[in-house]
Amino acid sequence: MKTLGREILWNLPHQASVVLYSLLGVLLLLFAWGLSSRIRFYRRGRPEGEYRLDRLWERTRDVLRIGFCQKRVLEKNPGGPIHLAIYASFIALFFVTCAVAVEHNLGVKLLDGDFYIAFKLFAETFGIVLLGGVVAALVRRCILRPAGASREWGDLLPLLLLGSVALTGFLVEALRIAVTHPAAAPYSYAANAVAPLLAGVPVPDLLRLHRGVWWGHLLVAFAFLMSIPYGKMLHVVAGPANIFLRSYRPAGTLQPIPDFDARETVGAGAIEAFSWKQLLDLDACARCGRCEEVCPAHATGKTLSPQKMIRDLRSEAGSGEPNRRGGGGGENEEPGIEGLGVRTADVWACTTCGHCVTSCPMMVEHVEKIVDMRRHLVLGRSDFPPELEQMFRKLEVFSDPWGFGPARRTEWAAGLDLKEIGRCGSVDLVFWVGCAGAYEERYRNVAVSLARILKESGIRFAILGSREFCCGDFARRTGNEYLFRLLARKNMAVLEEYGVRRIVTPCPHCYNSLKNEYPAFGGRFEVLHHSELILELMESGGIRARNAVEKTISYHDPCYLGRCNGVFDPPRRVLSKIPGVRLAEAERSRENSFCCGAGGGYLWLPEHGSRINERRSSELAELKPDIVATACPHCMYMLEDGMASAGGEGRIPESLDLAEVVLRSM
Amino acid sequence: MKIIVCVKQVPILTTRTAIDTVTNRLLPGELVYTLNPHDEAAVEESLEIREKHGGTVTVLTYGPARAEEVLRWCLAMGADEAIHILEGGSPDRSPFAVAHVLARVLRGLEYDLLLFGKLAIDDGMGQTGTFVAERMDLPVVTSVVHVELHPGEGRAILHRSLGKGDREVAECRLPAVFTMDMQANRPRYPTLGGRRMAERRDIRTIRGEKEGEALPCRGEIPAVEILRRTPPKIRPKKILAPDENESAAGRMQWILSGGGTRKGGGRITGDAGRLAEGILDFLKEKNFLSRTR
């Protein structure tokens, strides 16, 4: 019986295998050298503030799901499928090569019979998929040019190398078929289709050409493998590692700083001030541009791009050269952080909405780094926008960002006859009003509405009155950790004094701080957002939405409620329980909601260029709702302003809080 | 260069922070205190001088225990040392009495320059620095917005703010007392390192009773007596706009010159003797001084 297999290293001198394996040895050495230099780089980082080797099962599952199965990669078209094509065929062809190596070296006659046919079909198919993927990726990057996809050599080279590997592979196969006409030729369907084109060429030329192309195939393949630790392809190694070491904190929340009270410096002013995990992040980045695509600052023309920031940090850290942008002293240079390659304007352009973090297929944590750089600017260099300084000083002196002071904290509740903690019996719930509810003229009505709802429900609740202070969210996210801790401790002292066990608040920023960040200060209480409590009350019959509200309502997800804390459904379910309400879902909603432009202290900063709140407002206005409902004070006034200036022609939708809509129906 | 900056902790009265919403009365217990902004500018100025010419910065305050907060703030800004003259029971807080106590303490200290804020935003007297200078027999320049020191020559060039954008340039020998205007600079915001430093530093405490607070020099300290209080005269608000027919530059000049809001009255010029005489004449003419009392 005629064997179907093929002679390995056919048409090549017997020294070929010696050269091949010597080259492989060199390749492995270079690969190992590259990886070890990256590991040395991570070791330059400070210790990590978070233990990242717990939940081993969950971590493994995430590596398989997000890494191996490309869950997040596939969320985007056409980038996701294109990546999958290249990624899957790379793995498949790697195994194909391994199978050949096994047969050649171990002397096992593996590639024969039906297995060889299947092997041929498999290799041929994935070769085509790889080529198709590479071509599609090149077309996307160079011709379609979507925002965020760069055309730098570092991004194109891996594609060109992989494409060449596939092309030379087919050519070698076609040349072999043209000379030997093997029985299994039809199964190498692609190469077999090319082979007849070579029919007229004399055999010695074909043999020479075959040898040349074979060496070419080998070299481009090795070049590709060798480039992995030295360029963006490092993501194939660093990416899964990064996913494994991911944080399970809610997106946008920040790590506690364990030994803060003993520290003289904080934040990142040099690459060594990042943790090793943050440095690993830099390598895990595959420059896919998803973070840039969803970034509200980037979308409105700010120079901040999370992707570019990661890339700049990496190239700056690797170069060891004095910074190009910061500290150079040239007239036209933008102020920046020396040694990091990041412009200070970009550090302040982030709203900490966390969308970059949740959209990153490699679980890179951008926001934490930005806040670390802010900490350096605020607490290390005392160099930050003057608008923030006013806010900081007011927070420190008055304990609220507007500077009204504790004596006026209960003004909003005049005439409501609310109980104040310490001046009443025990209560089941503390109503955390927040600074906006206490002082902000428009938002006071929300505090009043929620208080009315709570009174109607008969729940025993109290407010903290003049003993409530700012939760410290703005201070923390603008890098003033010192002030945040000052406020957190003040608040914790009060909460502990009265043994508070359950808190409801209408502000997602207070909610996030109390729920996720106060536990580090000993906070042991349940925190509810008012949407969760209202839903609970509606379902238990504590309150009833009797009157119809015949309105179309579009609900805007606040970042710190939705994306960061996963509270997507309660507000929607509350609204849908109100008779007459028609919900109009925005295109960007839930996990993909677009920031209002107030988070991360951005409320206090001047916004240059087009405005985030106007962008979001015009998106919502397109749905032609009667009411834009939200569940966050800052979103509310951002959208109210945005609607007025960018809401388009005709009627301007009302900007209301959930509690106000609920109260209308009661 | 050894610099001593005298600072004061003041309640913030510009916001209705401490008003009982029911009785509409001030709640002294809920007053919010801060470092007097003109004093903060003086601290900032001293730190900038230290950065340029070297030396030390000492902050000094005379006040109750809570005034320690402002000393800590100054230390966090970068001051080297802090002295707290602890106020006793209910001392005379008039500028003259305060200057008396400050001067007694200052006599025991070494300095090349004394800085004050031009006035405190609570009582707005603006006299303490001048009184201290008089007691210490030092030259004084008030409302300083710009300091140019020539320590080698023992002199300083100063810009004084005269309001409405007018400046007076003065030269003064050292040591001297300058009272700073908050427009002079933008005080720094403390870094974390500064805060830690402030937490660690010891504050030297001096008991006010021992330094002549409240008791001595009767006869020397004029007993300031408040005879009556009148609410401010309600004046219709006039908003003057520049003449539209004027050129842009002309309008700008008009605005910069203080516009149409310039008040009546003259300006006394000349040397110190002439100035004092002029002021006396004015006071006599307007019947502020009477021989009968």
Side-chain angles (χ1 to χ4, degrees), chain B residues 156-177:
Chain B
I157 308 281
L158 304 140
H159 292 200
R160 296 184 63 220
S161 161
L162 302 182
K164 312 277 188 217
D166 287 346
R167 291 272 185 280
E168 183 177 75
V169 180
E171 190 177 318
C172 175
R173 66 177 158 78
L174 297 174
V177 175

Side-chain angles (χ1 to χ4, degrees), chain B residues 90-106:
Chain B
S90 54
D92 186 352
R93 297 287 284 143
S94 72
F96 202 82
V98 170
H100 173 72
V101 175
L102 289 178
R104 278 188 58 148
V105 173
L106 286 168

Side-chain angles (χ1 to χ4, degrees), chain B residues 89 94 176 194 227 252 281:
Chain B
S94 72
L227 297 178
M252 194 67 86
D281 289 346

Side-chain angles (χ1 to χ4, degrees), chain A residues 260-261 263-266 379-380 382 384 386 389 392-393 396-398 403-404 406-408 411 480 482-483, chain B residues 12 15-19 21 30 32-34 40 73 186-193 195-197 199-200:
Chain A
F260 183 82
D261 292 324
R263 293 175 78 122
E264 295 281 325
T265 56
V266 70
L379 292 177
S382 190
F384 51 92
E389 186 170 336
F392 290 159
R393 284 172 181 265
E396 191 155 351
V397 174
F398 297 96
F404 286 105
R408 294 184 65 186
E411 266 179 18
N480 202 333
Y482 183 87
L483 201 47
Chain B
I12 296 177
T15 57
R16 292 189 293 122
T17 289
I19 290 181
T21 47
E30 285 198 34
V32 170
Y33 292 91
T34 186
E40 192 172 3
W73 181 269
R186 203 185 124 202
R188 64 197 64 193
Y189 187 80
T191 62
L192 186 63
R195 302 263 194 180
R196 296 285 179 249
M197 192 78 89
E199 286 165 12
R200 282 196 303 264

Side-chain angles (χ1 to χ4, degrees), chain A residues 225-467:
Chain A
L225 292 175
M226 200 199 71
S227 76
I228 287 177
Y230 299 97
K232 83 173 232 180
M233 287 311 295
L234 189 54
H235 77 269
V236 305
V237 185
N242 211 45
I243 296 170
F244 187 79
L245 295 165
R246 67 174 285 198
S247 169
Y248 286 89
R249 275 175 298 120
T253 64
L254 303 167
Q255 281 183 10
I257 304 177
D259 51 347
F260 183 82
D261 292 324
R263 293 175 78 122
E264 295 281 325
T265 56
V266 70
I271 212 78
E272 285 79 9
F274 286 116
S275 78
W276 58 264
K277 167 63 179 58
Q278 287 177 321
L279 298 183
L280 179 64
D281 267 9
L282 307 182
D283 280 352
C285 173
R287 305 187 195 171
C288 66
R290 280 155 217 247
C291 48
E292 188 178 299
E293 219 163 83
V294 298
C295 176
H298 192 267
T300 50
K302 279 75 173 173
T303 51
L304 170 67
S305 151
Q307 173 191 223
K308 199 174 140 292
M309 184 190 79
I310 296 292
R311 206 168 55 191
D312 286 348
L313 279 173
R314 189 183 158 180
S315 62
E316 232 17 76
S319 71
E321 295 285 313
N323 188 274
R324 290 189 305 269
R325 282 184 211 87
E331 288 262 321
N332 298 325
E333 284 179 0
E334 299 259 357
I337 304 179
E338 297 95 65
L340 292 185
V342 177
R343 306 194 315 177
T344 45
D346 292 356
V347 174
W348 294 113
C350 172
T351 65
T352 70
C353 73
H355 207 173
C356 48
V357 179
T358 55
S359 63
C360 179
M362 293 300 180
M363 314 296 288
V364 171
E365 293 154 17
H366 314 72
V367 175
E368 189 95 43
K369 287 189 227 355
I370 288 181
V371 174
D372 258 338
M373 289 188 273
R374 289 181 175 184
R375 285 172 180 152
H376 166 71
L377 291 173
V378 172
L379 292 177
R381 267 179 28 182
S382 190
D383 170 14
F384 51 92
E387 291 83 359
L388 281 183
E389 186 170 336
Q390 288 310 310
M391 195 255 289
F392 290 159
R393 284 172 181 265
K394 283 173 180 163
L395 275 177
E396 191 155 351
V397 174
F398 297 96
S399 304
D400 71 79
W402 285 284
F404 286 105
R408 294 184 65 186
R409 246 190 213 272
T410 47
E411 266 179 18
W412 70 273
L416 281 174
D417 189 26
L418 299 184
K419 283 188 238 169
E420 226 173 279
I421 206 151
R423 298 187 195 165
C424 61
S426 72
V427 289
D428 303 322
L429 181 74
V430 160
F431 172 19
W432 182 281
V433 185
C435 300
Y439 303 114
E440 213 278 325
E441 220 170 314
R442 163 70 183 88
Y443 197 74
R444 274 181 174 179
N445 188 47
V446 177
V448 172
S449 303
L450 183 54
R452 291 229 170 97
I453 292 169
L454 292 175
K455 285 192 92 167
E456 174 86 17
S457 75
I459 204 164
R460 292 193 309 160
F461 74 100
I463 55 172
L464 295 176
S466 60
R467 304 208 56 196

